[in-house]
Amino acid sequence: MPDTDAEVADAQGVYEEARQVLGPFTGPVFLAPLTHNPKNGVTGGVWVVNAGDRSAILKVLTRSKEATGRWAASEDPRHWNYWRREADVYTSGLAQVWQPYGVRAPRLLARVERPGGDIALWLERVRGEPATRWTPARHIEHARRLGAAQGAVGAVADEPWLSHRFLRQYVGGNTLGQELLDDDEAWRQPLVRDHFPEGLRREVVRLHHDRDWFLDIMESLPRAFSHLDHWPANTCADGPHSAVFDWAFAGDGALGEDLGNYLPDSVFDLFVPAARLPEYAARAYDAYLHGLRESGWKGDENLVRLAVRASAVKYDWLTALMLANAGEAQLDYGGGQSVDAERRYRERGMTLAYLGEWATEARALAPRLGFPEAPSGR
């Protein structure tokens, strides 16, 4: 398929698929690629498809794309990068279980099993404002809706293709640059030296040392059906709802884990200024908790707080990656455009330091709730 806007006569049967899915139309089919992670071996591509006055999103799932290391497609239904999962989440209806509470997925228009083994997902095109452009207030309202949805739905029936132990597998697969955490020269690189806060090295090394303890905690907390890739680039407004895309990792998670991913990711990719993160995160957490209570959830709030704070472990790998890439060109998500390297390192450094505070709070809170003390103590 083309990788730029193009008129398509019959690329991989798209024309005939479009006629079957969208109904009769006149003229050609046009495909425009959408930003996604090009390294992921599960994703054959994502496009906006325009055919006459009809429009849809086409996402192709594959296991035949060349991908190395952790981004290789998996045949294991429990693996975090199982190649068919998103199709199963949509087909089963699980992608829509949060809809009554204000969070929904695009409607599945068709699932097409292609002769070569790929799966084409034809999805509704949701045209609302992307969350990458939301104000903090809109993010906070989304957090309330997410809390209401996860509080009401909780865990779901254990389908064999839902991801399990996602966080442990995902973090364990991110190993690039870990040896640099103890490398003085790596910490003296100009981008790192000039833009990482004082004391950050101590906190990230400590988090790395305690990684298994944090993962054990996250796996012991109350469970919820979770998106597990919940961040602004996968979210947009949809009238009174929030629409959430990309359900490829969905499965079992800790209650609060999705929020613990969403908040720092709002800053890591420069959608919310790092200076606003403490206030933004506090208000979003309160909104999430309000949503939980609104749904009738009656659990211990401290367990949710612990899940959000302990979810800092998801970013154990990020400092090491930044040390490894401090001498490289800095590209945005999808690799299409360059970003201001100094701004990225400054904003991410501040956010990693804030996650260090989350980790410290988790170490203090866990023993009070009956969990073992962290190896590094308080």
Side-chain angles (χ1 to χ4, degrees):
M1 287 187 179
D3 58 5
T4 58
D5 292 5
E7 180 176 321
V8 178
D10 193 22
Q12 293 188 9
V14 169
Y15 185 86
E16 287 305 319
E17 284 183 12
R19 292 188 67 84
Q20 293 171 21
V21 174
L22 302 177
F25 57 85
T26 58
V29 175
F30 293 89
L31 272 69
L34 291 176
T35 301
H36 62 282
N37 179 3
K39 298 178 182 178
N40 197 332
V42 165
T43 309
V46 189
W47 298 266
V48 175
V49 179
N50 290 300
D53 61 352
R54 319 287 175 81
S55 185
I57 302 298
L58 170 62
K59 183 170 185 178
V60 175
L61 311 182
T62 186
R63 56 185 163 181
S64 59
K65 176 180 172 181
E66 289 189 14
T68 57
R70 67 190 185 93
W71 290 115
S74 175
E75 296 275 5
D76 177 1
R78 293 301 198 191
H79 190 274
W80 67 273
N81 211 31
Y82 174 51
W83 79 278
R84 295 176 62 98
R85 179 176 297 114
E86 188 165 17
D88 292 332
V89 172
Y90 271 106
T91 305
S92 69
L94 273 180
Q96 300 296 358
V97 295
W98 294 341
Q99 183 166 350
Y101 313 97
V103 182
R104 75 175 187 93
R107 289 182 297 110
L108 176 66
L109 305 178
R111 168 179 170 163
V112 179
E113 304 272 349
R114 291 183 169 176
D118 291 349
I119 300 174
L121 296 179
W122 288 81
L123 303 167
E124 168 196 9
R125 184 180 180 187
V126 183
R127 299 177 181 269
E129 182 182 32
T132 56
R133 300 203 298 265
W134 285 0
T135 63
R138 187 67 194 255
H139 291 296
I140 290 162
E141 171 57 20
H142 175 69
R144 185 197 64 77
R145 294 174 182 169
L146 179 64
Q150 291 190 313
V153 173
V156 296
D158 185 21
E159 300 289 352
W161 35 260
L162 288 172
S163 65
H164 270 230
R165 308 186 88 189
F166 163 81
L167 197 57
R168 188 177 297 272
Q169 293 180 35
Y170 180 85
V171 172
N174 281 279
T175 58
L176 181 63
Q178 286 186 355
E179 71 284 354
L180 299 178
L181 292 174
D182 295 316
D183 186 331
D184 292 342
E185 287 298 320
W187 287 91
R188 282 195 285 265
Q189 295 177 96
L191 275 177
V192 177
R193 179 196 64 216
D194 296 342
H195 299 291
F196 275 10
E198 184 178 356
L200 177 60
R201 180 177 181 178
R202 178 183 65 254
E203 292 303 320
V204 298
V205 170
R206 189 181 181 198
L207 178 64
H208 186 67
H209 176 75
D210 289 346
R211 183 173 74 178
D212 286 340
W213 178 86
F214 278 98
L215 293 171
D216 289 344
I217 294 292
M218 291 297 290
E219 291 172 356
S220 301
L221 290 166
R223 315 314 295 163
F225 174 60
S226 302
H227 183 274
L228 299 173
D229 194 18
H230 201 54
W231 66 306
N234 281 338
T235 311
C236 79
D238 177 42
H241 292 83
S242 300
V244 177
F245 318 119
D246 196 358
W247 294 79
F249 301 162
D252 172 69
L255 184 64
E257 185 173 338
D258 275 339
L259 182 67
N261 184 91
Y262 190 93
L263 295 175
D265 267 4
S266 301
V267 181
F268 282 139
D269 285 279
L270 307 178
F271 307 134
V272 173
R276 302 187 71 171
L277 179 57
E279 178 188 1
Y280 160 56
R283 292 178 62 198
Y285 176 78
D286 287 345
Y288 181 82
L289 186 63
H290 180 74
L292 284 174
R293 296 302 189 196
E294 200 175 49
S295 75
W297 183 83
K298 301 184 185 303
D300 184 350
E301 178 267 335
N302 285 309
L303 294 172
V304 180
R305 180 177 295 274
L306 179 57
V308 174
R309 296 329 190 235
S311 68
V313 72
K314 183 177 181 183
Y315 301 99
D316 167 58
W317 57 275
L318 183 56
T319 307
L321 179 68
M322 295 182 72
L323 292 173
N325 291 343
E328 307 292 331
Q330 301 295 313
L331 301 176
D332 65 356
Y333 176 74
Q337 296 182 345
S338 61
V339 298
D340 183 327
E342 293 189 350
R343 182 185 176 208
R344 167 174 278 177
Y345 274 71
R346 181 180 66 252
E347 294 289 291
R348 288 189 173 182
M350 291 172 64
T351 306
L352 288 166
Y354 181 72
L355 292 181
E357 296 177 14
W358 274 11
T360 297
E361 185 178 345
R363 290 186 189 94
L365 181 58
R368 296 203 297 268
L369 295 173
F371 294 99
E373 190 168 288
S376 65
R378 301 186 185 185

